[in-house]
Amino acid sequence: MKICDIFARKKTLSFEIFPPKREEDTFTLIEDTITRLDSYRPDFISVTYGALGNTLTNTAKIAKHIKENTSAEPLAHLTCVASTTGIIDNVCTELKEARVENLLTLRGDMPKDTSVPVLSDFRHASDLARYISWKFNGDFCMAGACYPEKHPEADNMSRDIEYMKMKQDAGMQFFNSQLFFDNEVFYHFLLKARKAGVTVPIIPGIMPVTNYSQLDRMIQVTGCNVPLKLRNYFDRYKDDKAAIEEIGLIFTSYQILDLIANDVDGIHIYSMNKSGFIARLMDNISYVADKFFE
Ligand code: FAD
């Protein structure tokens, strides 16, 4: 099923996982993590591409496993930063044969070494979406990435949102947001996107914070703002794993409940393959969440 058809009838719950580097961890992911996540009846599970240097083969393999063994739809991430139309054709054909009908079409991060030219048939995610729309003519429901605190390379928020509208015009049928910790930031972003003519569903991406170094890494990669009360707590208990997990659980639970109360289109949780923590989180919010996602 296409995810855009699910949005027509309900709010969505989704999780994101990444293909592990080592083969034996892939087995654990499939046998344990995905099974546990599936017990929360997510509408879709997205599988990243390229993170930690793994190959698309793993993304396609895991997406196929989700399709065949769970009640969730797989959303396969696909980047185009150093890709050709030939590579994209092969990947899309492989996914289509595995009955994977949903793609998160992305540019991907530019290589850090700027001295090596990047050879690609595509400049931006919108070029990729336009190409797949034309070549595969409606076989896939396509989603795009959006950035409540703007993409780090964008000059300003208005310009970034203009490009978001361009992605919608290129065929993207919903947006998954970058992580953020301040819901007010997301609500302001939503208003601006709607004003600029973005009409498709925009789902907030929530990253449960479970350790201090992870929080620091997220700030560096995304440039996201961390509310002072969360930062102060993390600074005080940075060496106490249990204390950090406790605030992570409470903070993330509240963040999701507040988004639900504000009637967002769905909730996307960056699970980071930590199904144990996700289980505690989902149990914490089960009363309100069950009603919202039913
Ligand atoms: P684009 O939409 O191309 O935007 C990139 C920059 O160019 C932005 O600054 C934008 O304002 C600007 N821009 C956009 N269109 C135009 C245009 N037509 N003309 C001029 N400028 C333009 N990365 C991975 O490698 N693998 C993953 O699996 C992955 N999953 C992700 C999932 C989510 C939900 C998110 C939010 C990000 C993910 N990323 C992933 C990271 C993503 O690849 C990077 O953020 C990347 O730098 C930008 O990708 P994009 O698709 O947003 O690019």
Side-chain angles (χ1 to χ4, degrees), residues 106-109 144-152 157 160-161 164 167 175-179 185 189 222:
L106 299 153
R107 184 195 69 181
D109 281 325
C146 67
Y147 302 85
E149 293 174 84
K150 89 170 183 64
H151 185 267
M157 182 58 102
D160 208 27
I161 289 178
M164 186 180 170
K167 293 194 209 188
F175 287 97
N176 252 26
S177 94
Q178 180 60 284
L179 65 93
V185 164
F189 164 73
T222 67

Side-chain angles (χ1 to χ4, degrees), residues 16 47-51 77 79 104-110 123-126 145-147 151-154 159-160 163 166-167 176-178 268 270:
E16 182 169 304
V47 190
T48 65
Y49 168 53
H77 294 204
T79 64
L104 184 67
T105 44
L106 299 153
R107 184 195 69 181
D109 281 325
M110 300 304 276
R123 249 182 104 100
H124 287 289
S126 48
C146 67
Y147 302 85
H151 185 267
E153 290 166 32
R159 185 57 61 84
D160 208 27
Y163 293 132
M166 201 181 276
K167 293 194 209 188
N176 252 26
S177 94
Q178 180 60 284
H268 182 73
Y270 293 103

Side-chain angles (χ1 to χ4, degrees), residues 6 69 159 217 267:
I6 303 177
N69 297 281
R159 185 57 61 84
R217 210 169 42 245
I267 299 286

Side-chain angles (χ1 to χ4, degrees), residues 50-61:
L52 302 176
N54 49 50
T55 65
L56 181 68
T57 317
N58 271 350
T59 303
K61 194 164 96 186

